[in-house]
Amino acid sequence: MTSPADLACDVVLRDRSTVTLRPVRHDDEPLLLDFFRSLDERSLAFRFFTGAPDLDAVARALADVDQERRFGLLALRGQERLPVAHGFFAAIDKEAVEVAFAVSRDLQGHGLGSVLLAQLAERAAEEGFTRMVADVLPENHTMIAMFRASGFPVEVTSEPGTVVVEMPTSPDPAALTRFQERDATAARAAVATFFDATSVRLIDAPPRIAPAAARGLAAAGARAVVVRGDPEAWREAGPDRERELLAVCRRTGMRLVGPGSGGVLDNRPGRQLDLTTAATPPPPGGVGIVAQGAAAGRRLLDGAVAGDVGVSTFVSLGARADLSANDLLEYWEDDPTTTVALLQVESFSDPPRFARIARRLAGHLPIVVVAAHTAADPPGRGLFDQVGAIRAADTDEALALAAALADRPAGKRQDRARAQRRLPVVPPAPRADEAAAILATALAGDGTGLLDPESRSRLLACYGVAVEEGPERPPDAISLRVTVDADPLFGPVLRCGPEDQPAAEQPARVCPLGEGDAAALLDSLAPPVPPPPGREQLERVLTGVAALAAAHTEIAWLDLDPLLVAPERAVSAGARIGIRRPPRRRPWPRTWE
């Protein structure tokens, strides 16, 4: 089970302002009291159905949390860490929780209520609850609109003096799409600050000076800061110095590129901004470049100059403490000048997000990735094709590909709608909440290791995969091996092949599988593959396993060895699942990775 300390995160709102979310603790009674005292009478009435509640009693009750059946979240803002919002749920019965919110008037309408709702829903689902219920005053139109716009499918009914809102703790595919759209909106707004000469500032100073310099720039009105400097000096300074710099930026509401960045360049006509160390900028054009390392970024810029490759914008991420390559992809999607994205990255901080964005952009914004060595080496090169990215082995090949794609006939905008229609939506499993509860219980111990046999079978059953120890093997069955492991660029990757073939040699696909992905994987197998109807059985297993791995980051790896496939059914005769504490959360609409 995730501990309360693991749930703390920093969130970017729609207006680019920032808040920190963390669980309520027992010693938060004074902080809760200060927050509710800061609300006006109308806000208090909306929250407590009276404009004059006993705030001392309220704060005392809401600080009484057990993190399971009673759970609260506080939103804190600014360097003073002042409370600006509170969300809470309390169990009604074994299936439902009641949720309630209060948000400072000046932050209402900026997406904070939706963030609190999504986090409370995820926590409730981990505890096995399937429904959320909220009582809202009929005149509280803002709160009712927030629930309707949250992305969760809601049912609204009227009762005397109140409106009752009910919704599941797990979002449906339409809700996930809406959350992803908010994610993209916030990312684009963040990137835009780095190409705005009035808001971005440069720090080119030793690590010991950078935090103080950032604090001074924030006080002068900067909204974004590019921190250059020797990457090796930052490595020697250690993670504490980087965390100090990041904390200054987050608490003052600034976004950060770096530290150890090679700089930022906006090369678009009429918007020139050069914070790089390049002696000569490349010519303007349609290639957007993001590089993880400063040296690699410099090679790309120099190569663009030498090869006369037109560049629209360039960002060297450095230590990637804040802004990510995924954010740049979101921004370039809506930039009419950028027609090709060129990425140099060793890994993604959020690989599934890259795969999702790349799939969405396929067909209207080509993505070239410099990936000399990845876990997706043969025979897994199909992963790039699956998500619509193009792999280049080195800088020269990447620039040549990008230049050729940038010179193709215009058509980026008209292709966009067709590409989005082609992107499949994979619905969540009917028992995804049960799966989340199984994993949360398994992680209540040391948070790592093998899932026990009973939990393993129950977990796979949630996604339609049958497990039997020592089943009788049908004479017409074939034996396959299905595995899931992690790729630094793509996240969870599913492989399938003959039982006696090493997993590293089997064809691979990114999780989750979209429409046609399972069939394409099976088509790439060497014979024999099961004919219908056994093939349909196998495709369902592959789709279920991939959905499980994509939906639950607690799964470190998975191995079905063997998977027996017969015309009437497919069953795993040997399954192992490794679990871990999940990576830091990214609640909607946006947090730093």
Side-chain angles (χ1 to χ4, degrees):
M1 184 179 302
T2 308
S3 68
D6 296 332
L7 301 180
C9 57
D10 296 298
V11 178
V12 182
L13 303 180
R14 293 181 189 140
D15 66 346
R16 306 178 189 175
S17 66
T18 58
V19 298
T20 296
L21 294 185
R22 70 160 176 80
V24 170
R25 304 185 298 250
H26 289 290
D27 60 355
D28 279 334
E29 183 178 334
L31 204 59
L32 288 164
L33 184 59
D34 288 344
F35 170 62
F36 289 119
R37 283 176 174 169
S38 72
L39 300 181
D40 57 34
E41 184 176 339
R42 185 169 181 267
S43 297
L44 288 173
F46 283 165
R47 173 61 177 86
F48 301 108
F49 284 43
T50 174
D54 182 345
L55 294 182
D56 291 286
V58 163
R60 186 163 53 252
L62 294 177
D64 180 18
V65 291
D66 60 16
Q67 312 302 349
E68 296 174 359
R69 295 180 62 82
R70 293 177 59 84
F71 177 78
L73 282 171
L74 271 171
L76 308 174
R77 193 183 197 191
Q79 299 194 61
E80 300 83 5
R81 304 285 84 184
L82 297 177
V84 292
H86 173 255
F88 181 77
F89 76 65
I92 300 173
D93 52 35
K94 292 183 179 180
E95 296 183 352
V97 295
E98 182 178 10
V99 295
F101 306 89
V103 178
S104 296
R105 288 291 294 273
D106 60 342
L107 282 182
Q108 292 177 11
H110 295 301
L112 184 51
S114 297
V115 174
L116 290 169
L117 177 63
Q119 280 292 81
L120 292 176
E122 185 176 9
R123 184 63 175 178
E126 285 182 343
E127 298 301 329
F129 299 104
T130 60
R131 293 186 301 115
M132 299 181 291
V133 180
D135 289 328
V136 185
L137 286 176
E139 57 267 35
N140 192 353
H141 305 295
T142 300
M143 184 62 67
I144 296 172
M146 185 277 291
F147 283 121
R148 289 190 182 277
S150 67
F152 286 87
V154 301
E155 295 182 5
V156 180
T157 57
S158 297
E159 295 185 359
T162 186
V163 172
V164 180
V165 181
E166 292 193 42
M167 68 210 85
T169 54
S170 292
D172 62 13
L176 291 174
T177 298
R178 177 170 283 183
F179 289 147
Q180 290 162 7
E181 289 171 352
R182 290 177 183 161
D183 198 28
T185 298
R188 291 166 189 149
V191 173
T193 61
F194 289 96
F195 300 134
D196 180 354
T198 66
S199 66
V200 65
R201 296 293 181 269
L202 173 67
I203 295 176
D204 199 352
R208 60 183 178 83
I209 297 175
R215 192 175 291 109
L217 290 175
R223 293 188 298 156
V225 61
V226 177
V227 180
R228 291 199 318 226
D230 181 9
E232 185 60 35
W234 278 98
R235 282 191 287 271
E236 292 176 358
D240 287 345
R241 187 67 71 185
E242 182 181 315
R243 281 193 289 266
E244 181 186 2
L245 171 64
L246 185 58
V248 169
C249 292
R250 292 186 176 179
R251 293 189 176 190
T252 57
M254 290 195 306
R255 299 306 302 261
L256 168 66
V257 161
S261 164
V264 168
L265 171 72
D266 187 348
N267 212 32
R268 292 170 291 186
R271 300 187 57 182
Q272 279 83 0
L273 171 74
D274 191 350
L275 301 180
T276 72
T277 58
T280 304
V287 180
I289 299 176
V290 57
Q292 188 164 330
R298 183 60 183 269
R299 286 194 299 272
L300 284 166
L301 282 181
D302 290 346
V305 172
D308 198 33
V309 178
V311 174
S312 62
T313 47
F314 164 86
V315 174
S316 169
L317 298 172
R320 199 176 56 187
D322 179 6
L323 205 70
S324 73
N326 289 330
D327 295 330
L328 268 297
L329 287 176
E330 302 274 25
Y331 178 83
W332 285 327
E333 181 179 18
D334 271 9
D335 175 29
T337 304
T338 302
T339 57
V340 179
L342 196 167
L343 283 61
Q344 180 278 317
V345 289
E346 287 87 30
S347 65
F348 286 98
S349 50
D350 188 347
R353 184 179 169 218
F354 164 67
R356 186 179 71 244
I357 295 171
R359 279 168 157 162
R360 189 180 76 236
L361 268 57
H364 65 279
L365 182 67
I367 300 173
V368 177
V369 182
V370 182
H373 303 287
T374 76
D377 278 335
R381 289 184 177 175
L383 298 178
F384 287 88
D385 293 335
Q386 184 189 354
V387 301
I390 304 168
R391 171 176 168 155
D394 54 35
T395 296
D396 291 341
E397 182 181 356
L399 286 168
L401 282 169
L405 290 166
D407 289 339
R408 66 179 185 162
K412 171 179 172 182
R413 295 304 160 198
Q414 54 263 38
D415 285 344
R416 178 176 179 179
R418 183 167 64 252
Q420 289 180 327
R421 286 197 300 270
R422 190 170 60 243
L423 179 63
V425 176
V426 180
R431 296 161 59 192
D433 288 343
E434 180 181 343
I438 291 169
L439 288 166
T441 300
L443 288 168
D446 61 6
T448 187
L450 284 171
L451 206 57
D452 67 84
E454 180 183 356
S455 299
R456 180 181 62 218
S457 297
R458 290 172 53 215
L459 179 66
L460 288 166
C462 291
Y463 284 80
V465 182
V467 178
E468 293 181 13
E469 297 298 332
E472 182 177 347
R473 178 168 180 160
D476 53 354
I478 65 169
S479 290
L480 297 172
R481 184 183 184 190
V482 176
T483 62
V484 173
D485 52 20
D487 181 278
L489 290 179
F490 298 102
V493 168
L494 178 139
R495 298 178 186 271
C496 177
E499 181 184 3
D500 57 355
Q501 182 182 34
E505 298 178 7
Q506 295 176 347
R509 290 295 183 273
V510 177
C511 301
L513 301 183
E515 183 179 355
D517 284 342
L521 187 151
L522 295 179
D523 287 342
S524 66
L525 290 178
V529 295
R535 183 171 173 120
E536 286 84 352
Q537 301 278 359
L538 179 53
E539 287 186 13
R540 281 195 288 270
V541 169
L542 296 179
T543 301
V545 168
L548 167 66
H552 304 282
T553 54
E554 299 91 341
I555 295 174
W557 55 268
L558 181 150
D559 193 353
L560 305 183
D561 186 16
L563 178 71
L564 303 178
V565 184
E568 64 278 2
R569 68 181 306 211
V571 60
S572 173
R576 297 188 305 152
I577 299 177
I579 58 173
R580 63 182 176 191
R581 294 206 180 279
R584 288 173 55 190
R585 297 164 181 249
R586 299 183 62 255
W588 306 100
R590 180 77 176 98
T591 65
W592 286 280
E593 300 168 344

